Amino acid sequence: MIRVHFFGCFADEFGSSRELDVSNLKVADLIRLLNIKDVYMVAVNGELADTERCLTDGDEVAFMPKVGGG
Amino acid sequence: MEQVLLSEEPLSLPIEVCTECGALVTFHGVVRSKSKNGVVVAIEYSAYRELAYKQMYRIWSEVQEKYGVRLYLAHRVGKLNVGETAMLVAATSEHREEAFSAVMETIDRVKKEVPIWKKEILEDGRSVWI
């Protein structure tokens, strides 16, 4: 089971979080599976990660659109 | 006093200028009413808080080391009305050049590297992610 969190405009589209019963996936696979467009940042377990990162059971993944602080 | 802050409360400038410092440069990022989307009445700031703080701390640490300044970096989350300060950056240093450069680089990096998002609340009732 992987918990996925969505931020910014992604939360409007996908909800703030959901659990997925998937395994043997990379972050890029999950982006394709969920059809998320224009991912700007990804974090796994609270740390920035790239899309080639392999996911394991219990991971928490965050998908973030373009940031805009200030 | 915490030198990196992500807060729901209004921001104020806590930095003290040491006797060896000849410069204090401050920047207030303020919510403005003018937008390509219409007339703004407020902006709702949201963040991935844990990661946002980590990224802010990283920027604070790297910029201080690069320019040899003392830096303060704060950002608000939540709903801010027009005129309220969303981001506050301050640098003290011996001379002005490094303080100006440190503040500019900090602002630019926060806008690119910190997971904070804003949604404009418009006068006509619409809200728009920007």
Side-chain angles (χ1 to χ4, degrees), chain B residues 20-52:
Chain B
E20 292 84 26
C21 289
L24 165 61
V25 173
T26 64
F27 170 78
H28 291 246
V30 177
V31 176
R32 64 170 177 257
S33 62
K34 192 176 175 185
S35 159
K36 65 178 181 179
N37 298 309
V39 177
V40 174
V41 293
I43 292 182
E44 180 89 40
Y45 287 84
S46 59
Y48 179 0
R49 289 192 183 213
E50 297 80 4
L51 186 59

Short mmCIF file of all heavy atoms in Angstrom, two decimals, chain B residues 20-52:
data_model
loop_
_atom_site.label_atom_id
_atom_site.label_comp_id
_atom_site.label_asym_id
_atom_site.label_seq_id
_atom_site.Cartn_x
_atom_site.Cartn_y
_atom_site.Cartn_z
N GLU B 20 29.07 45.67 14.24
CA GLU B 20 30.01 45.60 13.11
C GLU B 20 29.29 45.74 11.76
O GLU B 20 29.93 45.85 10.73
CB GLU B 20 30.78 44.27 13.09
CG GLU B 20 31.74 44.08 14.24
CD GLU B 20 31.04 43.54 15.49
OE1 GLU B 20 30.00 42.89 15.35
OE2 GLU B 20 31.54 43.83 16.59
N CYS B 21 27.95 45.69 11.78
CA CYS B 21 27.20 45.70 10.53
C CYS B 21 26.87 47.13 10.09
O CYS B 21 26.41 47.94 10.91
CB CYS B 21 25.90 44.92 10.68
SG CYS B 21 26.19 43.16 10.81
N GLY B 22 27.08 47.37 8.78
CA GLY B 22 26.73 48.68 8.24
C GLY B 22 25.50 48.64 7.36
O GLY B 22 25.08 49.66 6.83
N ALA B 23 24.92 47.43 7.19
CA ALA B 23 23.77 47.32 6.29
C ALA B 23 22.69 46.41 6.86
O ALA B 23 22.99 45.37 7.46
CB ALA B 23 24.23 46.76 4.94
N LEU B 24 21.46 46.84 6.68
CA LEU B 24 20.29 45.99 6.95
C LEU B 24 19.37 46.15 5.75
O LEU B 24 18.88 47.26 5.48
CB LEU B 24 19.57 46.44 8.22
CG LEU B 24 18.16 45.88 8.44
CD1 LEU B 24 18.16 44.37 8.52
CD2 LEU B 24 17.53 46.48 9.69
N VAL B 25 19.21 45.07 4.98
CA VAL B 25 18.34 45.09 3.81
C VAL B 25 17.13 44.21 4.11
O VAL B 25 17.29 43.06 4.55
CB VAL B 25 19.07 44.56 2.55
CG1 VAL B 25 18.12 44.43 1.37
CG2 VAL B 25 20.23 45.50 2.19
N THR B 26 15.94 44.74 3.87
CA THR B 26 14.72 43.96 4.14
C THR B 26 13.84 43.95 2.90
O THR B 26 13.84 44.89 2.11
CB THR B 26 13.90 44.54 5.31
OG1 THR B 26 13.45 45.84 4.95
CG2 THR B 26 14.72 44.61 6.57
N PHE B 27 13.10 42.86 2.76
CA PHE B 27 12.12 42.74 1.69
C PHE B 27 10.81 42.21 2.26
O PHE B 27 10.81 41.21 2.98
CB PHE B 27 12.60 41.77 0.60
CG PHE B 27 11.54 41.43 -0.41
CD1 PHE B 27 11.21 42.31 -1.41
CD2 PHE B 27 10.85 40.22 -0.33
CE1 PHE B 27 10.21 42.01 -2.33
CE2 PHE B 27 9.85 39.91 -1.24
CZ PHE B 27 9.54 40.81 -2.24
N HIS B 28 9.72 42.90 1.96
CA HIS B 28 8.39 42.43 2.32
C HIS B 28 7.67 42.08 1.03
O HIS B 28 7.46 42.96 0.19
CB HIS B 28 7.58 43.52 3.03
CG HIS B 28 8.08 43.85 4.40
ND1 HIS B 28 7.37 43.60 5.53
CD2 HIS B 28 9.24 44.41 4.80
CE1 HIS B 28 8.05 43.99 6.59
NE2 HIS B 28 9.20 44.49 6.17
N GLY B 29 7.31 40.82 0.86
CA GLY B 29 6.45 40.43 -0.26
C GLY B 29 5.01 40.62 0.20
O GLY B 29 4.57 40.01 1.17
N VAL B 30 4.28 41.50 -0.48
CA VAL B 30 2.97 41.95 0.01
C VAL B 30 1.87 41.54 -0.96
O VAL B 30 2.07 41.58 -2.19
CB VAL B 30 3.00 43.49 0.18
CG1 VAL B 30 1.65 44.02 0.61
CG2 VAL B 30 4.07 43.89 1.19
N VAL B 31 0.73 41.17 -0.45
CA VAL B 31 -0.42 40.81 -1.30
C VAL B 31 -0.96 42.07 -1.97
O VAL B 31 -1.29 43.04 -1.30
CB VAL B 31 -1.54 40.15 -0.46
CG1 VAL B 31 -2.77 39.87 -1.34
CG2 VAL B 31 -1.04 38.87 0.20
N ARG B 32 -1.01 42.04 -3.31
CA ARG B 32 -1.50 43.22 -4.04
C ARG B 32 -2.85 42.92 -4.68
O ARG B 32 -3.20 41.76 -4.93
CB ARG B 32 -0.48 43.66 -5.09
CG ARG B 32 -0.22 42.65 -6.18
CD ARG B 32 0.61 43.22 -7.32
NE ARG B 32 0.87 42.17 -8.28
CZ ARG B 32 2.03 41.53 -8.39
NH1 ARG B 32 3.05 41.84 -7.60
NH2 ARG B 32 2.18 40.56 -9.27
N SER B 33 -3.56 44.00 -4.98
CA SER B 33 -4.93 43.85 -5.50
C SER B 33 -4.95 43.60 -7.00
O SER B 33 -5.93 43.07 -7.53
CB SER B 33 -5.75 45.09 -5.17
OG SER B 33 -5.17 46.22 -5.80
N LYS B 34 -3.87 43.99 -7.69
CA LYS B 34 -3.87 43.92 -9.15
C LYS B 34 -3.41 42.55 -9.63
O LYS B 34 -2.36 42.06 -9.20
CB LYS B 34 -2.94 45.01 -9.69
CG LYS B 34 -3.06 45.24 -11.17
CD LYS B 34 -2.17 46.40 -11.58
CE LYS B 34 -2.19 46.57 -13.10
NZ LYS B 34 -1.24 47.61 -13.50
N SER B 35 -4.18 41.96 -10.52
CA SER B 35 -3.82 40.66 -11.09
C SER B 35 -4.40 40.57 -12.49
O SER B 35 -5.41 41.20 -12.79
CB SER B 35 -4.39 39.54 -10.21
OG SER B 35 -4.50 38.35 -10.93
N LYS B 36 -3.77 39.74 -13.33
CA LYS B 36 -4.33 39.54 -14.68
C LYS B 36 -5.68 38.85 -14.61
O LYS B 36 -6.45 38.87 -15.57
CB LYS B 36 -3.35 38.75 -15.53
CG LYS B 36 -3.12 37.35 -15.04
CD LYS B 36 -2.19 36.57 -15.93
CE LYS B 36 -2.04 35.18 -15.37
NZ LYS B 36 -1.26 34.26 -16.04
N ASN B 37 -5.98 38.23 -13.46
CA ASN B 37 -7.24 37.50 -13.32
C ASN B 37 -8.41 38.37 -12.86
O ASN B 37 -9.55 37.93 -12.88
CB ASN B 37 -7.06 36.33 -12.35
CG ASN B 37 -6.04 35.34 -12.85
OD1 ASN B 37 -6.12 34.89 -13.99
ND2 ASN B 37 -5.04 35.02 -12.02
N GLY B 38 -8.10 39.57 -12.37
CA GLY B 38 -9.15 40.45 -11.86
C GLY B 38 -8.67 41.18 -10.61
O GLY B 38 -7.47 41.25 -10.35
N VAL B 39 -9.62 41.71 -9.86
CA VAL B 39 -9.28 42.43 -8.64
C VAL B 39 -9.19 41.43 -7.48
O VAL B 39 -10.15 40.71 -7.20
CB VAL B 39 -10.32 43.53 -8.32
CG1 VAL B 39 -9.97 44.22 -7.00
CG2 VAL B 39 -10.40 44.53 -9.45
N VAL B 40 -8.04 41.40 -6.85
CA VAL B 40 -7.78 40.44 -5.76
C VAL B 40 -8.20 41.04 -4.42
O VAL B 40 -7.89 42.19 -4.13
CB VAL B 40 -6.26 40.10 -5.72
CG1 VAL B 40 -5.93 39.22 -4.53
CG2 VAL B 40 -5.83 39.44 -7.02
N VAL B 41 -8.89 40.23 -3.63
CA VAL B 41 -9.21 40.69 -2.27
C VAL B 41 -8.35 39.97 -1.22
O VAL B 41 -8.13 40.49 -0.13
CB VAL B 41 -10.72 40.53 -1.92
CG1 VAL B 41 -11.56 41.47 -2.77
CG2 VAL B 41 -11.19 39.10 -2.08
N ALA B 42 -7.88 38.78 -1.57
CA ALA B 42 -7.04 38.02 -0.63
C ALA B 42 -6.30 36.93 -1.42
O ALA B 42 -6.66 36.61 -2.55
CB ALA B 42 -7.89 37.38 0.46
N ILE B 43 -5.26 36.40 -0.80
CA ILE B 43 -4.59 35.22 -1.35
C ILE B 43 -4.52 34.16 -0.26
O ILE B 43 -4.17 34.45 0.88
CB ILE B 43 -3.17 35.55 -1.87
CG1 ILE B 43 -3.25 36.46 -3.09
CG2 ILE B 43 -2.42 34.28 -2.22
CD1 ILE B 43 -1.90 36.81 -3.70
N GLU B 44 -4.89 32.95 -0.65
CA GLU B 44 -4.81 31.80 0.26
C GLU B 44 -3.50 31.08 -0.03
O GLU B 44 -3.30 30.57 -1.14
CB GLU B 44 -6.01 30.87 -0.01
CG GLU B 44 -6.08 29.65 0.86
CD GLU B 44 -6.84 29.89 2.15
OE1 GLU B 44 -7.86 30.58 2.12
OE2 GLU B 44 -6.38 29.37 3.19
N TYR B 45 -2.61 31.05 0.96
CA TYR B 45 -1.32 30.36 0.83
C TYR B 45 -1.42 29.00 1.48
O TYR B 45 -1.83 28.89 2.64
CB TYR B 45 -0.20 31.15 1.51
CG TYR B 45 0.22 32.39 0.76
CD1 TYR B 45 -0.48 33.58 0.92
CD2 TYR B 45 1.31 32.38 -0.10
CE1 TYR B 45 -0.10 34.72 0.22
CE2 TYR B 45 1.70 33.52 -0.80
CZ TYR B 45 0.99 34.68 -0.63
OH TYR B 45 1.36 35.80 -1.32
N SER B 46 -1.03 27.95 0.72
CA SER B 46 -0.97 26.61 1.30
C SER B 46 0.43 26.06 1.09
O SER B 46 1.16 26.53 0.21
CB SER B 46 -2.02 25.70 0.67
OG SER B 46 -1.82 25.62 -0.72
N ALA B 47 0.79 25.09 1.88
CA ALA B 47 2.17 24.56 1.82
C ALA B 47 2.19 23.09 2.20
O ALA B 47 1.31 22.60 2.90
CB ALA B 47 3.07 25.34 2.78
N TYR B 48 3.21 22.42 1.69
CA TYR B 48 3.59 21.12 2.23
C TYR B 48 4.57 21.48 3.35
O TYR B 48 5.75 21.66 3.11
CB TYR B 48 4.24 20.30 1.13
CG TYR B 48 4.72 18.92 1.51
CD1 TYR B 48 4.60 18.42 2.80
CD2 TYR B 48 5.30 18.10 0.56
CE1 TYR B 48 5.05 17.15 3.13
CE2 TYR B 48 5.76 16.83 0.87
CZ TYR B 48 5.63 16.37 2.16
OH TYR B 48 6.09 15.12 2.48
N ARG B 49 4.02 21.63 4.54
CA ARG B 49 4.74 22.34 5.59
C ARG B 49 6.10 21.77 5.96
O ARG B 49 7.07 22.51 6.11
CB ARG B 49 3.87 22.44 6.85
CG ARG B 49 2.73 23.38 6.66
CD ARG B 49 2.09 23.64 8.00
NE ARG B 49 0.94 24.49 7.84
CZ ARG B 49 0.56 25.37 8.75
NH1 ARG B 49 1.24 25.51 9.86
NH2 ARG B 49 -0.51 26.10 8.56
N GLU B 50 6.15 20.45 6.16
CA GLU B 50 7.42 19.86 6.60
C GLU B 50 8.52 20.09 5.55
O GLU B 50 9.63 20.48 5.88
CB GLU B 50 7.26 18.35 6.86
CG GLU B 50 6.28 18.00 7.98
CD GLU B 50 4.82 18.04 7.55
OE1 GLU B 50 4.54 18.27 6.35
OE2 GLU B 50 3.95 17.86 8.41
N LEU B 51 8.16 19.84 4.29
CA LEU B 51 9.15 20.00 3.23
C LEU B 51 9.45 21.49 2.99
O LEU B 51 10.59 21.86 2.72
CB LEU B 51 8.65 19.33 1.94
CG LEU B 51 9.63 19.30 0.79
CD1 LEU B 51 10.92 18.56 1.16
CD2 LEU B 51 9.00 18.64 -0.44
N ALA B 52 8.43 22.32 3.08
CA ALA B 52 8.64 23.76 2.88
C ALA B 52 9.64 24.29 3.91
O ALA B 52 10.56 25.04 3.57
CB ALA B 52 7.31 24.51 3.00
#
